[in-house]
Amino acid sequence: AIRSGVTLLTTHITETLMQTHNRLLPILICLAVLCFGANAHAALFCVNSVAGLNFALTASRDNGQNDQIDIVAGSYALNASGLQFISSEANSISIFGGYNADCSQLTTAVTSLNGENINQVLRVLQGSMSTAASIHIERITFIAGKAGTDGGGRLLAISQNGEVRIESNRFLLNHAENYAGAIYINTGGLITLRNNLFYL
């Protein structure tokens, strides 16, 4: 009788532990996904003004994350100054245009950045030696940019070793005093130019 009681008690404890384990396992899996997934997350910005775009570019410089800046479709006059991103972090920067009001989906409308023949439209400098410090710019119309001796009237993109991808953009009526009126790219990594339109 004593052995039977011990056996029943042991069986009950084993079943209880198994039930507890089964309940905890999904929780542990979720925690693992959250912990390991956190490092893969990128900072995502949705902007609809020049001020918002400047804020996103500034915040992306040293936040320790890969960054994606989505720009709502529309025309943006840069007025007194162009746009600038300068970072030494080993993280990527992606700037995409053509989004709807809350950046939840792409539209057929255009995102235009206009330098008004005064400023270089966009300057992106990745100072890190890491190949992870890549630059990706897509679906933006660069208009009437002007640069001085460093070139790249519409867009200047420099990465030490990261990939530079310039895709599905339009470069219209831009110029530079020295060279590369439309776009200047310098990197030790791969350069991808795809489906861009240039009209000088």
Side-chain angles (χ1 to χ4, degrees), residues 19-41:
Q19 291 172 1
T20 303
H21 175 267
N22 290 337
R23 286 195 300 269
L24 287 176
L25 185 58
I27 297 173
L28 292 174
I29 291 174
C30 289
L31 288 174
V33 170
L34 287 173
C35 290
F36 289 102
N39 292 329
H41 288 172

Side-chain angles (χ1 to χ4, degrees), residues 4 16 20 29-30 36-37 50 57 73 92 103 125 139 145 153 171 200:
S4 297
T16 301
T20 303
I29 291 174
C30 289
F36 289 102
V50 174
L57 290 168
S92 64
C103 299
L125 306 177
R139 297 185 302 273
F171 298 87
L200 302 179

Side-chain angles (χ1 to χ4, degrees), residues 105-162:
Q105 62 183 8
L106 285 171
T107 71
T108 57
V110 175
T111 294
S112 298
L113 303 179
N114 192 335
E116 301 188 314
N117 291 310
I118 300 173
N119 308 293
Q120 185 175 59
V121 176
L122 178 61
R123 184 181 184 89
V124 182
L125 306 177
Q126 288 279 34
S128 171
M129 297 299 292
S130 171
T131 57
S134 62
I135 300 169
H136 185 185
I137 297 171
E138 189 170 332
R139 297 185 302 273
I140 295 175
T141 296
F142 295 85
I143 300 176
K146 179 182 179 181
T149 57
D150 59 352
R154 311 170 199 183
L155 172 63
L156 184 143
I158 297 178
S159 177
Q160 296 298 320
N161 289 301

